[in-house]
Amino acid sequence: MKLTTAQALVRWLLAQRSETLDGREVPLFPGVFAIFGHGNVLGLGTALEEHRDEIPVWRGHTEQGMALAAVGYAKAAQRRQVGVVTSSIGPGALNMVTAAGVAHANRLPVLLLPGDTFVNRAPDPVLQQIEPFHDGTATVNDAFRAVSRYFDRITRPEQLLATLPQVVRVLTDPADCGPVTLALPQDVQAETFDFPPTLFEPVTHRLPRPRPDRRAVTEAAGVLRAARRPLLVLGGGVRYSGAGRRALEFAERHGIPVTETTAGRTLVPHTHPLYAGPLGITGSSSANAVAASADVVFAVGTRLQDFTTASWTVFSPEMRLVTLNAAAFDAVKHGALAVVGDAYAGLDDLAAQLESWRVDPQWTAQAAEERVKWDAHIDSLRSAASEIPSYAQVVGVVNDLSEPRDYVMTASGGLPGELIGGWRGSGEVSMDVEYGFSCMGYELSGAWGAAIAHDGGLVTTLLGDGSYLMLNSDLFSAAFAGHPLVAVVCDNDGYAVIARLQQGQGGKPFNNFYADCRTSHAEPPRVDFARHAESLGCVVFSASSVDDLRDAYAQARAAAVTERRPAVVVVRTLPAAWTEAGAWWEVGVPEHLAGRPDFDAAKPGQVRYLSR
């Protein structure tokens, strides 16, 4: 079949299918986010237009926003479907690098197709070409190498035959999953080749469940059987394996207290008797207290990021770590006893060896008692008397009015700690907190992608004024395309959580709150977030109290669904009221700051490498 490189690539995308966790067959590549320009409009753009009735093409308004939307889509689709993003060469391509970092840190699949400069070099230097002095083969797209799980530059049409199997391998492999970048020089996009028709035959990609090594399972079972105070930690890998229910059955059978990481949040119903709460700095004092007493930690599907481990101070130095992870890279960290395999299959194999073993009920009861204390603390924060709502109260209102199938999101600043620590879920997979890369701006773009992907409930995203100002154009993207969501914008006059860190360590207030920033105005201008969101095509509601917020959020939910566009709730919030989990986080504290003694006191308690 004589096709251009771009035509062949689009036909291949259309032929790829995926099986969801509940057994349905869906397109692996359900849509493309695109801004056309110099470098992709005549090649890939023309090929996509030829199939416009078969694959949706969503027009974004920043390349970073489109790629973040694709990341949000992948998370909401449980990694079973992959968003495709294409841009022009030069700045359009580089704008996507941040989103590639988000996908890489969070182990989420996205296919990036940036245009690239001419392979033939006849018109060099072309518009937007940077011309590195040291390397004639380098272009801006080489910046993607550090944040791609797989990178290739297609310099001949027939190279697709070799690279496309690798592309789909990475995008669908539980261990290697992450962003793939195919740089597409604009002259090569238009070149033709006689492609074999078999390249375009439909293929369905199913979730592989590699079973762990039997000897590793036996060794891990022995460690658990000898434990007196074990703790089960569930991460995002449990979610993507569809093993949430299986993990709870494992915990129930053996009486093991359960906690969650950021990526694993909402896998466990809040009211479950074995639930100790979320773990870490942005988690709960209940889970952290249980973790400090645990003699064995069984971590499933998690890379144990510093916010989860409180910079490796939340566990006892004598604790024994057992990991179950599809990626050997994550399983072997920190001297763990590594069980490499699928979460569902690994839990099955381990349960078979543990048989009727159960934990001492007193340990299980201790975890439950700690959770009750944390719940009482959250209740007190939600019910506190205040003229201006706190973040905890904002989360409480959204939590109270949400339905079980709804989906809630945030990404950066102070809201992750509030949402992770304060949300009470029903056991549905209902949360996306992008705190692997902590990318400001993900809250709106990622919500657009999640709104396209999420089936059965409403997407609500929570964000601060700083994130809103950083990246807001995809409110218009969602409004234009007709994708309903609710955005709750919390205005507290600046980068409040960084000011908290700065001042909490003894630094002077500087350049975070607006009042501490340089300005030549006696009365600096303020952003009218409500009018701005309205100008982007959103339905807008404002609130100044908890009661106002409750009414505004209820109206926003109804309006978003009825009008098929984003509804934005703008609410003033307290700048210095936080949900504290009582854990330490390592940051570089200069010796002359007041926070240095606390740093020196906490650092020796950090677990550097666990002994097996």
Side-chain angles (χ1 to χ4, degrees):
M1 300 176 67
K2 192 177 185 66
L3 300 167
T4 67
T5 303
Q7 288 174 319
L9 179 56
V10 171
R11 289 197 181 203
W12 178 82
L13 292 173
L14 289 168
Q16 308 309 301
R17 308 289 292 174
S18 176
E19 186 178 82
T20 64
L21 289 172
D22 59 4
R24 292 177 296 115
E25 188 174 294
V26 295
L28 178 62
F29 302 104
V32 179
F33 297 89
I35 294 177
F36 297 128
H38 161 55
N40 70 342
V41 65
L42 297 179
L44 196 57
T46 298
L48 286 167
E49 189 279 329
E50 292 172 353
H51 295 276
R52 63 188 303 168
D53 294 332
E54 298 165 78
I55 185 168
V57 176
W58 307 114
R59 183 188 129 151
H61 296 88
T62 68
E63 291 85 359
Q64 179 180 333
M66 293 193 308
L68 289 175
V71 175
Y73 188 106
K75 182 76 175 280
Q78 314 301 312
R79 297 202 310 200
R80 302 279 75 77
Q81 292 183 285
V82 181
V84 182
V85 194
T86 182
S87 75
S88 63
I89 67 175
L94 280 180
N95 280 347
M96 299 194 295
V97 172
T98 297
V102 173
H104 198 290
N106 290 280
R107 315 293 205 257
L108 291 169
V110 60
L111 178 57
L112 303 174
L113 304 175
D116 212 333
T117 53
F118 284 77
V119 168
N120 65 41
R121 303 191 186 181
D124 286 9
V126 299
L127 178 67
Q128 301 179 328
Q129 185 172 351
I130 60 169
E131 289 192 289
F133 294 175
H134 66 290
D135 186 349
T137 67
T139 75
V140 297
N141 286 330
D142 288 282
F144 284 99
R145 292 181 184 273
V147 287
S148 297
R149 285 296 181 115
Y150 182 80
F151 177 93
D152 199 358
R153 178 176 281 113
I154 305 302
T155 58
R156 294 285 305 161
E158 57 265 38
Q159 289 174 352
L160 288 180
L161 300 175
T163 201
L164 290 179
Q166 301 303 325
V167 167
V168 78
R169 172 189 65 82
V170 173
L171 293 173
T172 61
D173 189 303
D176 290 346
C177 188
V180 169
T181 302
L182 286 188
L184 300 173
Q186 63 171 307
D187 53 342
V188 178
Q189 289 181 47
E191 291 180 9
T192 58
F193 179 74
D194 289 325
F195 288 94
T198 51
L199 180 64
F200 313 116
E201 292 178 356
V203 178
T204 300
H205 304 276
R206 296 178 173 86
L207 175 70
R209 295 198 182 279
R211 303 205 83 91
D213 179 78
R214 290 182 181 178
R215 292 167 296 181
V217 171
T218 299
E219 189 176 357
V223 172
L224 281 169
R225 197 178 291 110
R228 295 175 58 245
R229 299 179 304 280
L231 176 64
L232 178 60
V233 180
L234 305 183
V238 177
R239 172 180 182 163
Y240 303 130
S241 173
R245 182 61 250 173
R246 186 68 192 90
L248 274 181
E249 290 170 354
F250 180 88
E252 290 162 356
R253 179 176 179 178
H254 305 296
I256 306 176
V258 187
T259 186
E260 302 163 319
T261 71
T262 297
R265 195 66 175 87
T266 69
L267 283 167
V268 185
H270 178 78
T271 57
H272 196 284
L274 291 173
Y275 186 47
L279 184 65
I281 299 164
T282 52
S284 61
S285 60
S286 55
N288 294 340
V290 174
S293 298
D295 61 350
V296 172
V297 171
F298 181 28
V300 184
T302 171
R303 63 192 183 117
L304 294 172
Q305 183 219 24
D306 70 332
F307 261 65
T308 296
T309 65
S311 296
W312 285 94
T313 62
V314 76
F315 302 123
S316 164
E318 288 74 40
M319 175 270 292
R320 186 78 185 274
L321 178 63
V322 179
T323 59
L324 169 58
N325 205 297
F329 179 90
D330 292 316
V332 302
K333 290 175 179 175
H334 296 278
L337 195 171
V339 181
V340 180
D342 171 68
Y344 199 108
L347 287 168
D348 265 357
D349 291 352
L350 196 55
Q353 294 212 21
L354 289 171
E355 298 175 340
S356 60
W357 166 78
R358 285 190 64 84
V359 175
D360 184 340
Q362 288 188 340
W363 169 242
T364 303
Q366 181 180 334
E369 290 170 4
E370 292 290 347
R371 223 282 311 288
V372 169
K373 296 176 188 176
W374 179 253
D375 286 351
H377 175 60
I378 295 298
D379 287 340
S380 69
L381 295 177
R382 290 185 176 186
S383 61
S386 174
E387 292 184 8
I388 300 175
S390 67
Y391 274 2
Q393 289 171 321
V394 172
V395 169
V397 167
V398 174
N399 201 166
D400 289 345
L401 296 180
S402 292
E403 300 292 336
R405 292 283 298 159
D406 286 350
Y407 196 78
V408 64
M409 305 177 61
T410 194
S412 59
L415 280 163
E418 307 297 324
L419 202 59
I420 297 166
W423 189 264
R424 294 170 176 174
S426 62
E428 298 276 357
V429 177
S430 60
M431 183 181 291
D432 174 7
V433 177
E434 196 293 285
Y435 225 37
F437 213 52
S438 186
C439 180
M440 293 180 70
Y442 176 80
E443 296 94 335
L444 293 176
S445 299
W448 176 32
I452 301 173
H454 185 59
D455 184 21
L458 183 65
V459 172
T460 293
T461 185
L462 307 176
L463 67 156
D465 50 306
S467 281
Y468 184 96
L469 289 173
M470 196 164 284
L471 195 62
N472 52 57
S473 61
D474 283 324
L475 282 174
F476 177 68
S477 303
F480 182 85
H483 297 129
L485 60 95
V486 178
V488 180
V489 180
C490 300
D491 182 4
N492 57 18
D493 278 342
Y495 302 141
V497 77
I498 295 299
R500 168 196 182 192
L501 175 62
Q502 180 183 60
Q503 296 175 54
Q505 298 298 324
K508 295 180 180 179
F510 178 62
N511 207 51
N512 286 312
F513 284 121
Y514 296 136
D516 303 319
C517 297
R518 182 173 180 174
T519 178
S520 60
H521 299 282
E523 292 190 15
R526 290 191 58 84
V527 177
D528 189 330
F529 293 102
R531 290 179 64 187
H532 185 271
E534 186 176 20
S535 74
L536 293 176
C538 302
V539 190
V540 178
F541 303 88
S542 296
S544 58
S545 68
V546 175
D547 288 339
D548 287 348
L549 177 62
R550 192 173 297 276
D551 292 340
Y553 180 64
Q555 293 177 63
R557 290 177 58 86
V561 174
T562 301
E563 301 198 27
R564 304 295 300 174
R565 55 180 171 145
V568 175
V569 178
V570 179
V571 55
R572 291 282 290 171
T573 51
L574 292 172
W578 312 102
T579 300
E580 302 279 3
W584 182 68
W585 183 38
E586 180 172 359
V587 293
V589 183
E591 290 187 359
H592 68 279
L593 292 185
R596 182 61 187 225
D598 288 340
F599 175 92
D600 292 336
K603 183 70 174 174
Q606 190 173 52
V607 177
R608 299 299 299 275
Y609 193 86
L610 294 162
S611 173
R612 293 190 59 187

